[in-house]
Amino acid sequence: MPLAESPVTFDVGDVQVSGVYARPDNAFATLVVAHGAGAGMEHPFLSGFTRALNDDGVATLRFNFPYREAGRKFPDRPPAAIAAWRAAMDAARSRSDGEPLWAAGKSFGGRMASMAVADGMPAAGLVYLGYPLHPPGKPEKLRDEHLYGLELPMLFLQGTRDTFATAELLEGVVSRVGPNATLHWCEGGDHSFAVAGHKRGAAEIGASLAAPVAEFLRANA
């Protein structure tokens, strides 16, 4: 039987946003998960991902950024997104039993998590579900400067066909970050981790990423 999920709300400044929390018995870690720029926390990719993690002993909190909560299409600027990340981590921490508290996100959500940590937000580590290293077709516009000062464990899950991260450039960034960063390639995956010729729903694709993430969390407990 699927683990029960609980709706939560928390304040980001004077705005209230929504989240979904789930906690298995004897959770060994909590992972807070943010959505990408074009979809909210209820996207099947994220729900499939978090539910598979729950089955593997990880508590999860996925949440909406304020712009998504308000029905706007253009993502929040970094200061607002970082404030949302801090509030989400506080909300997850208040529901935990003291286990490690990690931050993760799809594309924009993961990048904002890394910027929040660079800005001083505590976290046991970071998980990127398709890091948007550069805009498609613009490899000269790298979004990497803040990553090099981060010393906590980081897992980059990336599709080999992801146009937001040229393989050679991402490998170079991960190498420069240092041994605390791990790169896990998903063969044939695009920015949504879909593989050409392999028909899978978004929930199944998201769930397929849970095992390497749980393994990384356990290895860095």
Side-chain angles (χ1 to χ4, degrees):
M1 177 177 291
L3 187 67
E5 296 180 326
S6 303
V8 300
T9 57
F10 53 88
D11 294 331
V12 181
D14 58 357
V15 175
Q16 190 173 76
V17 300
S18 303
V20 176
Y21 181 73
R23 184 177 186 82
D25 293 336
N26 301 316
F28 74 88
T30 290
L31 187 69
V32 182
V33 186
H35 57 79
M41 68 173 181
E42 292 295 356
H43 192 279
F45 175 91
L46 283 191
S47 59
F49 174 66
T50 56
R51 289 165 185 165
L53 280 170
N54 298 153
D55 291 340
D56 208 355
V58 180
T60 58
L61 173 65
R62 61 183 193 271
F63 69 96
N64 277 336
F65 286 110
Y67 80 94
R68 188 73 189 183
E69 195 75 19
R72 300 191 301 269
K73 292 184 177 181
F74 194 77
D76 296 315
R77 302 296 297 170
I82 289 171
W85 256 112
R86 288 182 176 275
M89 293 290 275
D90 288 344
R93 188 176 294 108
S94 71
R95 291 166 171 80
S96 77
D97 283 336
E99 71 276 359
L101 183 61
W102 291 69
K106 176 73 183 78
S107 192
F108 168 81
R111 179 174 166 244
M112 291 299 106
S114 66
M115 292 180 71
V117 169
D119 192 53
M121 182 184 80
L126 288 158
V127 175
Y128 308 112
L129 306 174
Y131 187 82
L133 183 60
H134 55 74
K138 298 180 179 179
E140 71 280 3
K141 295 187 175 182
L142 294 182
R143 301 156 171 160
D144 63 333
E145 289 186 0
H146 66 286
L147 297 175
Y148 301 117
L150 303 182
E151 298 180 353
L152 71 176
M154 289 187 281
L155 174 63
F156 292 78
L157 283 92
Q158 207 84 20
T160 57
R161 294 191 302 115
D162 190 341
T163 57
F164 284 78
T166 305
E168 184 177 354
L169 289 176
L170 183 58
E171 288 174 349
V173 167
V174 171
S175 176
R176 288 191 293 276
V177 169
N180 58 303
T182 298
L183 176 56
H184 179 98
W185 286 112
C186 297
E187 185 61 39
D190 61 12
H191 193 55
S192 298
F193 295 92
V195 177
H198 190 186
K199 292 191 67 174
R200 296 184 298 171
E204 183 182 354
I205 293 172
S208 73
L209 303 179
V213 171
E215 181 180 353
F216 189 79
L217 268 55
R218 282 193 172 92
N220 290 277

